[in-house]
Amino acid sequence: MKKLIICSIVLLSFAFAKAQSTKIWTLQECVQYAIENNIDIKQADLNTEVAKLDKKDALGSFLPSLNASASNSWNTGLTQNITTGVLQTQTTRNSSYGITSGVTLFDGWANVYRLQRAKMSVLAREYNSELIEDNTLLNVANSYLNVLFNKENLKRLETQHILTKAQIDRTSQLVEAGSLPRGDLLEIAATYANEEQQIISAINNIVNSRIALAQILNLDDFTNFDVQDPNLTDPNGFVLDKAVTDIYENARSKRFEVKIAEQNTLLAEQDYKIAKAAVLPRLSAFFNYNTRESGQGNFNSFLDPNAPTRQIGIVEGTNQSVVAPNFTSTVGNPDPFFDQLSRNDGISYGLSLSVPIFNGWSVSNNIARSKINVESNKLTEDQTKLTLKRNIYQAYNDAKGSKAAYESASSALEAREQAFEYARERYNVGLMNAFDFNQAQTALTNAQSSLLSNKYDYIFKLKVLELFNGIAPEELKL
């Protein structure tokens, strides 16, 4: 027992010392920090940024394309000299350059539908981000309440522990005076040791609940983190004064799960329009500019056209040959580079019309598939609204039930406190044995624990109902 006492004192001292350098967080501070740092919320925001890039892609489909190309190649072998027309073994070089532009003039309004869809997709991602934020902040509130519950539970156990210690001292006096048997002292001492174990467990629960809350906030420092202890003696249940039908109407117009379902239906309808656009002709315009240049020689002669030229040549009809290591022409140089580009350039432009006639039923199948998807999303939207209505009615009934349980637990605790005082008076004068007194004390402890659990359960269910009623998560208060 002494070891347990020492361990408990050390843990409590450590917790007190940590509290001196620990930042105390309010619920509002936790909520705001989670909005800015929670990983799930950050990931949802990134998904929204991706949707915005998709919107830029859709806008870009209305703009003309512009691309440039260039190529240069060398070929070695028996070819015709471009200057003399004689077949010679030589190295020739060819280059070409071009600019191409094109624009879609009509594609069955598919581009317009895609742009509209991209805008809807951005909105859907924003709704999803808001929903994730709401759910995350509700988890923050729940975790915050869990820390408060564990701290208040520790205070309850410590208070009870003090009373048990006083009872041990009183019982020791009565045992020494011969008024009570020694077995009564041992019974209370066992209760005292059990309370020490509960205190140690309660301290661990506080630490673990702080870590859980810090992880939701994405905090690295778990040790220097604690929450403010507000006065929660009388939970405010004003939201229960509203009719459940009014709460549902507020939720249906504001809750993001409904907005997401509605937006998904609109997206499916846009996909249906895009699929139907594929049966219409496609008209596009194009413009091309091309030029080319060629010459005899290796890469060095391309870089320096004025360099001395020599070549291996086999003149047709003779056995005469001339050897030169750099394979450049000795017969004559081609026209200058830029002169060839100017002489050989040309443009092409026009319109291109594509009319879909038969593509293995792929177009008609896509239309049918898109239409089915529209109906499926409408059903999902209806189911989402039904689920929301069920959840609100259940949350409302749960909150009312929690209120009744809290009030009942409060009345039960009051009765148990009176019963315990009566039992203690009888025990102190020797009219009750230690076992019966311990039973009365256990009943009081259970009543205190029940009230504490019911209070925090009631508070959390009120917060859930307040969110359904339309309160912003960042405005949640305890």
Side-chain angles (χ1 to χ4, degrees):
M1 184 175 70
K2 290 182 178 179
K3 290 183 178 179
L4 289 173
I5 295 174
I6 294 173
C7 184
S8 176
I9 293 174
V10 169
L11 285 173
L12 289 171
S13 300
F14 177 76
F16 178 78
K18 278 292 182 182
Q20 306 307 306
S21 60
T22 296
K23 173 177 170 55
I24 305 300
W25 293 62
T26 64
L27 176 59
Q28 285 71 32
E29 287 175 330
C30 289
V31 163
Q32 188 59 43
Y33 192 89
I35 292 174
E36 297 172 358
N37 297 276
N38 178 265
I39 293 177
D40 291 337
I41 294 176
K42 283 184 174 183
Q43 186 64 55
D45 291 340
L46 290 177
N47 291 336
T48 302
E49 293 301 315
V50 171
K52 291 179 179 178
L53 291 176
D54 293 339
K55 177 184 173 182
K56 289 184 68 176
D57 288 340
L59 282 169
S61 64
F62 290 90
L63 303 176
S65 62
L66 181 64
N67 297 283
S69 62
S71 67
N72 192 82
S73 62
W74 287 265
N75 297 287
T76 299
L78 185 63
T79 58
Q80 187 179 42
N81 188 299
I82 62 173
T83 304
T84 66
V86 177
L87 288 175
Q88 295 177 322
T89 300
Q90 58 183 349
T91 297
T92 59
R93 180 183 51 77
N94 297 282
S95 61
S96 63
Y97 310 90
I99 295 177
T100 301
S101 178
V103 62
T104 300
L105 301 178
F106 179 76
D107 62 351
W109 310 113
N111 279 351
V112 175
Y113 297 147
R114 289 190 187 97
L115 177 58
Q116 293 173 346
R117 189 192 189 285
K119 292 178 180 179
M120 295 175 183
S121 182
V122 171
L123 192 57
R125 292 292 180 87
E126 289 175 348
Y127 288 157
N128 185 66
S129 180
E130 293 290 345
L131 179 61
I132 290 176
E133 181 177 308
D134 283 3
N135 292 337
T136 300
L137 298 188
L138 184 60
N139 287 336
V140 169
N142 187 30
S143 296
Y144 193 97
L145 287 171
N146 195 33
V147 176
L148 296 182
F149 168 79
N150 288 323
K151 293 174 73 173
E152 194 165 337
N153 187 52
L154 176 62
K155 292 178 182 178
R156 178 187 65 81
L157 291 172
E158 290 173 338
T159 301
Q160 185 62 48
H161 203 49
I162 293 172
L163 294 176
T164 304
K165 179 63 171 64
Q167 196 63 40
I168 287 178
D169 296 340
R170 174 62 179 164
T171 303
S172 297
Q173 295 174 0
L174 294 175
V175 169
E176 292 177 359
S179 300
L180 292 175
R182 183 170 179 79
D184 286 4
L185 178 60
L186 296 176
E187 184 73 27
I188 297 177
T191 300
Y192 188 78
N194 183 60
E195 290 173 352
E196 288 177 342
Q197 294 177 338
Q198 293 177 354
I199 288 174
I200 294 173
S201 177
I203 293 173
N204 289 332
N205 289 338
I206 292 175
V207 174
N208 291 334
S209 59
R210 285 175 182 167
I211 292 175
L213 177 56
Q215 287 178 331
I216 297 176
L217 302 183
N218 197 25
L219 275 176
D220 294 330
D221 188 1
F222 297 156
T223 57
N224 298 316
F225 172 77
D226 200 359
V227 302
Q228 187 181 61
D229 299 338
N231 183 12
L232 298 178
T233 55
D234 187 20
N236 189 345
F238 71 92
V239 69
L240 288 175
D241 296 333
K242 294 180 175 292
V244 64
T245 53
D246 294 337
I247 296 176
Y248 171 67
E249 290 301 323
N250 285 336
R252 191 175 64 174
S253 63
K254 296 179 181 179
R255 289 292 297 178
F256 290 106
E257 54 261 55
V258 174
K259 293 182 179 181
I260 291 171
E262 293 172 343
Q263 204 65 19
N264 286 338
T265 299
L266 294 176
L267 288 170
E269 291 174 348
Q270 284 300 115
D271 289 335
Y272 180 50
K273 292 179 181 180
I274 294 171
K276 289 195 300 181
V279 304
L280 298 176
R282 177 185 178 90
L283 180 64
S284 59
F286 63 88
F287 175 85
N288 299 318
Y289 172 82
N290 294 282
T291 187
R292 65 186 186 279
E293 178 272 342
S294 61
Q296 296 172 326
N298 60 10
F299 183 71
N300 292 327
S301 66
F302 171 66
L303 295 176
D304 185 8
N306 298 319
T309 59
R310 299 176 64 199
Q311 172 183 322
I312 294 178
I314 301 177
V315 181
E316 187 177 5
T318 71
N319 293 324
Q320 183 179 359
S321 63
V322 180
V323 179
N326 62 353
F327 294 90
T328 56
S329 174
T330 60
V331 180
N333 289 324
D335 291 340
F337 179 78
F338 290 105
D339 288 347
Q340 291 192 55
L341 293 182
S342 177
R343 187 181 67 242
N344 296 326
D345 67 348
I347 61 174
S348 63
Y349 51 88
L351 299 173
S352 175
L353 179 65
S354 174
V355 180
I357 297 176
F358 179 74
N359 295 280
W361 297 293
S362 62
V363 174
S364 59
N365 287 343
N366 283 336
I367 293 174
R369 193 177 293 110
S370 298
K371 186 175 182 179
I372 293 172
N373 193 41
V374 171
E375 297 303 320
S376 176
N377 276 275
K378 287 181 178 179
L379 292 175
T380 301
E381 180 182 339
D382 292 340
Q383 183 61 55
T384 300
K385 292 176 181 178
L386 287 174
T387 301
L388 177 65
K389 188 173 185 178
R390 184 184 69 241
N391 290 341
I392 289 175
Y393 274 77
Q394 181 175 342
Y396 187 83
N397 290 329
D398 286 346
K400 289 183 66 176
S402 294
K403 180 182 180 181
Y406 170 66
E407 292 173 348
S408 176
S410 180
S411 299
L413 177 60
E414 184 178 352
R416 285 298 177 186
E417 287 174 342
Q418 294 175 359
F420 177 73
E421 287 300 322
Y422 178 71
R424 180 160 57 183
E425 291 174 0
R426 295 189 66 198
Y427 179 76
N428 288 338
V429 296
L431 297 178
M432 178 180 285
N433 59 38
F435 177 80
D436 292 336
F437 177 74
N438 188 56
Q439 290 294 104
Q441 182 172 326
T442 300
L444 174 63
T445 300
N446 291 338
Q448 291 172 336
S449 178
S450 177
L451 177 64
L452 190 61
S453 298
N454 280 285
K455 180 176 73 171
Y456 279 93
D457 181 65
Y458 177 41
I459 293 172
F460 177 71
K461 287 176 179 175
L462 285 177
K463 298 304 116 180
V464 173
L465 201 58
E466 288 174 7
L467 286 176
F468 279 133
N469 192 45
I471 188 173
E474 58 269 20
E475 295 178 2
L476 282 175
K477 295 180 181 179
L478 297 177

